[in-house]
Amino acid sequence: MHFELTDEEKLIRDTARRLAAERLAPLAPALDRGEGREAFLSNLRFLAENGFMALNIRAAYGGAEAGAVAFALAIEELGYACTATAVTASVTNMVGEVIQAIGSEDQKRAYLPRLADGTYAAGAFCLTESGAGSDPSAMTTRARREGDEWILDGTKLYITSAEYAGLFVVWAVTDPEAPKGRGISCFLVERDAPGLVIGKAEQKMGQTGSATNAVHFDGCRVPLRALMGRENEGFRVAVGELAGGRIGVAALSLGIARAAMDAAKTYVRERRQFGSRIADFQGIQWMIADREVDLEAARLLILQAAHLKDQGLPFAKEASMAKLFASEAAHRCTDTALQLHGGAGYIKDYPVERYARDARITRIYEGTSEIQRLIIARETLRQGG
Ligand SMILES: Cc1cc2nc3c(=O)[nH]c(=O)nc-3n(C[C@H](O)[C@H](O)[C@H](O)COP(=O)(O)OP(=O)(O)OC[C@H]3O[C@@H](n4cnc5c(N)ncnc54)[C@H](O)[C@@H]3O)c2cc1C
């Protein structure tokens, strides 16, 4: 397979790299300490102004129309500099893609430009519940039609960006009698909808600069036009859109992994023990070589999935392979980078302990590694491959 990037893709990657280095990277340590919420919001505005919140959205709706490969390259670069900002951008892009995929023309015209230009600081993707994580079809959030409104009741858990999102894509059960996974619909809920309440901010191990909250729908009233796509067919949409989101998480994982290994390579070239640079020890070189293979394999899997998506071909299995491999590789790379720093790796003056904490969740959200394996196995057996 040939992966020559187009001039536009190279431009987007290089622009993302430059802007992220100048603007995001210097703020990342403070965001990790839980400081600089205003700076974080200004990061999001800055990304919107530069087209990074709607990379795969058509220009007619204010997007960059750059494609899935460009999206992956950009998220990798943002993730290299600041994971908290990158995950927010990745989810916001995903929310836009759901609207673009199934929204009516009116919904696309009303909401996509506001996601793209930063009118909404971010978008939120509300699927998970306390009893419905790996198995989202077990959700109990309910939507009932009453007159010319839908009334939503239930609680979504661990929702990225909920605190500052202007728009929420929400899945809820509309036909409780339907077989599991069938009677679920998708809604667009604006932040000021009556009955929408943002719950407590979760205290996280990593990616601490990004917000993660419960979202309560307490008799939340939205107009009938808030339904997106066909009634009772929303779950299929969620499953499809998660595949696209997995390319984002894979790219984010690669960004963190690369940042960790770049820090490690610099360190082993400078650090001396036993009268030599530690980079001269073969034991160290083998660690670097194994992780270099990880980075390259992750990059190729991500490009493959994104390329298939851009071609309009099935890409769910490839997206799961990219997400599984890249997130597990990020775990190996950040752990190796920390090890190569010795005691310094455990100290907050160096960035590698932050990378290790930031990488950990990539094996869990948007489907755990175990769930990716289930998808890959199911597709492989179905294809007879
Ligand atoms: C920081 C953060 C941000 C998040 N952002 C969002 C968001 O924006 N929107 C959203 O909707 N959700 C979000 N989530 C939720 C996330 O997607 C879920 O946490 C994840 O899908 C796992 O669900 P769970 O936590 O309920 O774990 P569980 O499903 O309870 O899984 C527990 C363990 O059991 C394993 N397991 C479960 N089923 C199987 C099986 N069939 N075979 C083998 N192993 C299995 C899992 O792999 C895992 O190891 C976020 C979570 C976090 C922590």
Side-chain angles (χ1 to χ4, degrees), residues 88-130:
T88 308
S90 182
V91 173
T92 300
N93 273 276
M94 190 178 170
V95 166
E97 290 206 30
V98 182
I99 300 171
Q100 178 162 268
I102 60 158
S104 66
E105 192 55 30
D106 283 351
Q107 286 166 332
K108 289 181 208 174
R109 292 205 177 278
Y111 296 111
L112 288 175
R114 288 190 247 167
L115 274 178
D117 71 9
T119 305
Y120 297 134
F125 188 94
C126 303
L127 188 64
T128 302
E129 299 180 5
S130 63

Side-chain angles (χ1 to χ4, degrees), residues 177-374:
E177 307 303 323
K180 196 160 174 265
R182 291 276 170 79
I184 291 171
S185 303
C186 180
F187 296 89
L188 265 175
V189 182
E190 294 185 63
R191 186 185 185 80
D192 57 3
L196 177 111
V197 180
I198 305 304
K200 76 173 169 74
E202 305 293 354
Q203 301 297 306
K204 306 194 296 278
M205 170 184 177
Q207 304 195 1
T208 41
S210 69
T212 309
N213 307 69
V215 179
H216 306 289
F217 299 91
D218 188 5
C220 174
R221 292 175 175 275
V222 292
L224 288 184
R225 64 171 185 281
L227 175 74
M228 219 175 23
R230 294 214 188 118
E231 190 174 339
N232 297 327
E233 289 186 16
F235 189 64
R236 201 172 36 84
V237 173
V239 170
E241 293 303 323
L242 280 171
R246 283 173 190 140
I247 296 176
V249 174
L252 177 67
S253 307
L254 176 58
I256 308 171
R258 243 182 64 214
M261 288 312 297
D262 280 357
K265 283 183 273 182
T266 302
Y267 190 82
V268 299
R269 285 190 196 105
E270 288 169 0
R271 175 73 177 162
R272 296 183 73 84
Q273 288 292 280
F274 300 98
S276 302
R277 301 181 323 157
I278 61 171
D280 294 333
F281 300 132
Q282 195 178 52
I284 299 279
Q285 291 170 3
W286 286 14
M287 290 159 83
I288 300 275
D290 286 347
R291 297 297 80 88
E292 187 68 10
V293 176
D294 270 342
L295 294 176
E296 198 58 28
R299 182 173 297 119
L300 291 171
L301 284 169
I302 292 166
L303 286 175
Q304 170 178 252
H307 175 74
L308 289 171
K309 186 177 179 205
D310 277 341
Q311 303 305 306
L313 295 168
F315 68 96
K317 177 183 170 189
E318 289 76 10
S320 282
M321 293 197 297
K323 200 267 184 184
L324 172 64
F325 190 85
S327 61
E328 297 284 341
H331 178 64
R332 292 190 290 273
C333 286
T334 53
D335 190 63
T336 299
L338 201 153
Q339 190 70 13
L340 289 173
H341 277 71
Y346 202 66
I347 302 298
K348 284 183 184 272
D349 291 347
Y350 292 83
V352 286
E353 62 82 31
R354 166 162 57 90
Y355 298 142
R357 287 184 289 106
D358 283 351
R360 188 61 184 84
I361 186 62
T362 63
R363 293 161 64 200
I364 296 172
Y365 59 21
E366 304 244 5
T368 62
S369 289
E370 293 71 41
I371 295 304
Q372 304 314 318
R373 288 187 176 93
L374 290 184

Side-chain angles (χ1 to χ4, degrees), residues 136-154:
S137 68
M139 71 176 64
T140 56
T141 294
R142 183 84 166 84
R144 286 175 291 111
R145 202 191 304 239
E146 203 176 281
D148 56 0
E149 289 178 320
W150 288 99
I151 319 279
L152 275 65
D153 282 291

Side-chain angles (χ1 to χ4, degrees), residues 56-79:
N56 202 13
I57 300 300
R58 285 198 286 283
Y61 305 118
E65 205 169 321
V69 168
F71 163 74
L73 295 167
I75 296 296
E76 178 189 336
E77 296 303 333
L78 303 184

